[in-house]
Amino acid sequence: VQDAASSWAPGSGRDEGSQQRWKEEICRIMGEIQASLSPLLLRLCHWLLPKLLTRLFLGVQLHRAQLEMVLRAARKPEVPLVFLCSHQSQLDGLLLSFVLLSQGIGVPRVAVGARTSPRLRSLLQRLGGIFLPSEMAQAWGDREEGLPGAVLDAYVQELLRSRQPLVLFLEEPPASLRLADPAQRWLLRVLRALRDGAVPDVLIIPVGIAYDVAP
């Protein structure tokens, strides 16, 4: 991050003023990626979501044997879980978060697409949603990632070290056979964390979400 900050403000030296500007910019980028979890909102959502689901669907089905395998995997020490999911509707993130939290796996960090209003973005961040920095929300390869990319690399490394479950959606709804640009950026960070030895291993868990009628 320091190397990227030096490139971001070339020629500014290491004086106190330039370092303060770096810190402010890094904090701004971090604020775009995540916010502190809100226990009150999480409890409220955990209470409301089953009521919402019973109004939307006749039932929600889980594969019991596969869920038990995930629970066993979650007990492995020092190995974070990364869920790679199909994406059928905007409800998928809340649904999967509810399932993981209710099974004692913990509150996952769920990568959310950029097409959200500022208020919804703030709410989802308090519930565990994470977002790409605004400078990286463009199409893949449009520009150098620079400081936002370096901060995102460091963030994902710390997230995996802390063994918080990470949920990545591979597609943009409605589902297509093409890997979405945001998914590529998040997956690249996971691969770099492994390559750089930030974590010894990662457990990749594929998740299929399907609806009789997508909401």
Side-chain angles (χ1 to χ4, degrees):
V1 172
Q2 287 177 337
D3 290 343
S6 301
S7 302
W8 174 68
S12 59
R14 295 185 176 274
D15 59 276
E16 186 175 338
S18 64
Q19 289 184 10
Q20 183 63 30
R21 288 194 296 274
W22 295 350
K23 289 178 182 179
E24 290 174 357
E25 179 65 11
I26 290 167
C27 288
R28 182 194 65 80
I29 295 168
M30 277 300 302
E32 289 188 340
I33 296 173
Q34 74 153 35
S36 299
L37 295 174
S38 169
L40 177 62
L41 277 176
L42 284 167
R43 286 196 294 269
L44 182 63
C45 187
H46 197 265
W47 177 74
L48 281 175
L49 197 56
K51 295 174 172 54
L52 173 65
L53 292 176
T54 55
R55 289 186 175 275
L56 286 176
F57 308 119
L58 293 176
V60 177
Q61 298 180 348
L62 301 174
H63 193 293
R64 177 64 60 182
Q66 293 179 359
L67 183 59
E68 290 173 355
M69 291 173 62
V70 173
L71 293 174
R72 286 200 301 271
R75 291 192 287 268
K76 285 194 173 184
E78 299 182 7
V79 180
L81 304 180
V82 176
F83 295 85
L84 301 184
C85 313
S86 60
H87 204 3
Q88 303 292 322
S89 89
Q90 301 295 347
L91 195 62
D92 295 347
L94 284 175
L95 181 61
L96 191 54
S97 295
F98 171 72
V99 170
L100 296 179
L101 184 58
S102 64
Q103 296 299 317
I105 294 177
V107 180
R109 290 292 184 172
V110 181
V112 183
R115 299 170 189 168
T116 53
S117 66
R119 287 185 178 180
L120 180 59
R121 183 184 183 119
S122 177
L123 174 63
L124 292 176
Q125 283 183 320
R126 294 292 183 182
L127 293 172
I130 54 176
F131 294 79
L132 290 173
S134 55
E135 297 91 338
M136 298 177 63
Q138 305 175 36
W140 180 263
D142 275 3
R143 59 180 292 178
E144 290 294 324
E145 294 180 347
L147 184 59
V151 173
L152 188 64
D153 278 330
Y155 170 76
V156 171
Q157 288 186 11
E158 291 303 318
L159 184 71
L160 295 176
R161 282 196 192 104
S162 65
R163 296 189 68 239
Q164 292 184 67
L166 175 60
V167 175
L168 304 178
F169 291 106
L170 301 180
E171 310 150 322
E172 292 286 353
S176 67
L177 297 178
R178 177 178 171 273
L179 184 65
D181 288 338
Q184 293 184 49
R185 293 186 187 273
W186 287 110
L187 285 169
L188 178 61
R189 267 71 213 178
V190 174
L191 291 172
R192 283 179 179 169
L194 279 170
R195 181 198 65 190
D196 297 342
V199 287
D201 199 2
V202 169
L203 282 172
I204 300 293
I205 300 174
V207 178
I209 300 174
Y211 301 91
D212 291 336
V213 178

